[in-house]
Amino acid sequence: LMFALSLLLGTTITITSNHWIMAWAGLEINTLSILPLIAKSHHPRAIEAATKYFMTQATASALVLFSSMTNAWHTGQWDITQMTHTTSCLILTSAIAMKLGMVPFHFWFPEVLQGSPIITGLILSTIMKLPPIALLYMTSHSLNPTLLTLMAIMSAALGGWMGLNQTQIRKILAFSSISHLGWMAIIIPFSPKLTMLNFYLYALMTSAIFLTMNTVKVLKLSTLMTSWTKAPALNTMLLLTLLSLAGLPPLTGFLPKWLIIQELTKQNMAPTAIIISLLSLLGLFFYLRLAYCATITLPPHTTNHMKQWHTYKPTSTLIAISIVMSIMLLPISPMIPTIL
């Protein structure tokens, strides 16, 4: 409970602060409070994940502090929105990319997610990404669009490519997170609110998938194949949520992609929109593979699998709400332009 409260405190401090030192303090509180949650199981892999997480986050925090100090040195401003010095902006973009796990600073994220328990993995994929994205949102007007576009396309490409041959579900979700970060980063110089919308919907769909995995106790594809007998209805919903995360049209996940492509076309960046859309097809492949293993059929294999017992444990309301929202929010799209 104490660590969870510290997480909320750190996130709130960063999001609500105007001063760089406060924002940095919030990021540090966040990092220190998630470390015990990662290393809780005392498994060597968990300890390794916690160490890797600490090293990357400490480096990124130092870079955030360095960029804000350089900016203050040149402009006399500690205000987050007054980030005007060019070099400081480039260092800040790199630091936040490292915090989020965007390419080329993505190597730590799949390893850390693989070494963490499922619920900690959920926190790492959603809540822990909110403070850095909030900092990007606040400094969006002064960031370098070329650098962000380059990072975004590399993230979408690598997130898709590297997820193709994975068998561990947490690693697949880590690479899916990297490719979604590409979609968020590409639009932030032009429409920061769209980035926030994309992040909220991504967090919603990822939460639904992690909570479902936690309920059926599945960690890799081979156990996912036989888990449909445990909770058939939940697995059917998992299929739809995965397709929503892939961004297929009648589902919620299509909404941010559609709006982002539309905005990029308005900014005369149609080639970029085409490239990032084609790269998201790579992600579609592994989502379909997960969906195929979850519900549709068992792949042909020689090993005999024991069917699992059907569990009559009632599904929690939280999973039910997050899954329904992950699937059915597309009809709200006419309201979005009024909010933006």
Side-chain angles (χ1 to χ4, degrees):
L1 180 65
M2 189 179 83
F3 293 128
L5 287 174
S6 303
L7 269 176
L8 287 173
L9 173 73
T11 307
T12 314
I13 287 176
T14 304
I15 292 169
T16 54
S17 60
N18 286 320
H19 197 285
W20 272 115
I21 299 290
M22 286 296 285
W24 173 80
L27 291 171
E28 286 299 301
I29 293 170
N30 254 3
T31 303
L32 294 174
S33 55
I34 193 83
L35 286 173
L37 298 179
I38 298 174
K40 195 170 63 174
S41 63
H42 299 296
H43 189 278
R45 186 166 285 161
I47 306 296
E48 182 190 344
T51 312
K52 282 179 179 170
Y53 186 76
F54 174 72
M55 301 293 275
T56 47
Q57 297 299 310
T59 312
S61 288
L63 281 175
V64 167
L65 203 54
F66 177 64
S67 67
S68 55
M69 282 170 68
T70 314
N71 186 62
W73 183 269
H74 283 276
T75 62
Q77 285 285 351
W78 279 101
D79 195 331
I80 293 181
T81 51
Q82 303 292 323
M83 197 77 173
T84 47
H85 189 242
T86 323
T87 317
S88 303
C89 288
L90 291 175
I91 297 170
L92 179 76
T93 311
S94 310
I96 291 182
M98 199 182 288
K99 277 222 165 276
L100 288 170
M102 275 171 64
V103 176
F105 310 105
H106 63 290
F107 297 102
W108 63 273
F109 189 55
E111 301 294 327
V112 169
L113 212 61
Q114 179 58 32
S116 312
I118 292 185
I119 297 300
T120 311
L122 166 62
I123 293 171
L124 280 169
S125 300
T126 53
I127 300 171
M128 294 301 286
K129 289 204 179 335
L130 184 55
I133 283 187
L135 286 178
L136 272 184
Y137 178 82
M138 288 187 272
T139 55
S140 58
H141 54 275
S142 52
L143 297 174
N144 185 343
T146 317
L147 178 66
L148 281 168
T149 307
L150 197 65
M151 278 182 164
I153 287 176
M154 287 198 304
S155 295
L158 264 153
W161 277 122
M162 294 176 76
L164 292 179
N165 60 352
Q166 299 296 335
T167 54
Q168 296 286 342
I169 298 178
R170 281 172 296 184
K171 275 200 173 176
I172 292 178
L173 287 170
F175 287 118
S176 114
S177 175
I178 292 168
S179 59
H180 274 271
L181 281 171
W183 281 88
M184 291 175 217
I186 203 163
I187 202 66
I188 201 148
F190 312 110
S191 175
K193 286 183 178 172
L194 259 185
T195 298
M196 296 313 285
L197 174 76
N198 192 347
F199 175 73
Y200 297 142
L201 292 179
Y202 160 74
L204 178 73
M205 295 182 284
T206 307
S207 304
I209 290 172
F210 270 105
L211 292 169
T212 306
M213 277 169 53
N214 193 42
T215 306
V216 293
K217 298 285 178 277
V218 168
L219 290 176
K220 51 184 190 286
L221 288 179
S222 56
T223 47
L224 185 65
M225 288 171 196
T226 56
S227 71
W228 61 272
T229 47
K230 273 189 187 178
L234 192 58
N235 269 34
T236 312
M237 289 292 116
L238 178 63
L239 162 82
L240 288 171
T241 314
L242 283 162
L243 294 181
S244 179
L245 196 58
L248 290 185
L251 306 165
T252 307
F254 179 59
L255 173 60
K257 284 191 166 57
W258 174 25
L259 292 171
I260 287 172
I261 290 171
Q262 191 180 342
E263 184 62 35
L264 285 173
T265 318
K266 280 181 196 167
Q267 300 289 343
N268 295 324
M269 292 176 70
T272 317
I274 291 167
I275 291 168
I276 202 163
S277 308
L278 288 174
L279 289 173
S280 70
L281 291 175
L282 292 168
L284 178 63
F285 176 82
F286 58 76
Y287 292 124
L288 278 174
R289 193 163 123 215
L290 272 174
Y292 182 89
C293 289
T295 47
I296 302 171
T297 176
L298 288 178
H301 51 67
T302 49
T303 52
N304 291 321
H305 272 301
M306 290 288 287
K307 287 279 196 301
Q308 309 224 13
W309 285 94
H310 189 120
T311 50
Y312 287 99
K313 196 170 66 175
T315 307
S316 78
T317 323
L318 184 63
I319 299 181
I321 293 170
S322 57
I323 284 180
V324 168
M325 287 176 74
S326 301
I327 296 169
M328 296 185 173
L329 280 189
L330 192 64
I332 68 158
S333 49
M335 287 165 53
I336 302 292
T338 57
I339 302 166
L340 303 176

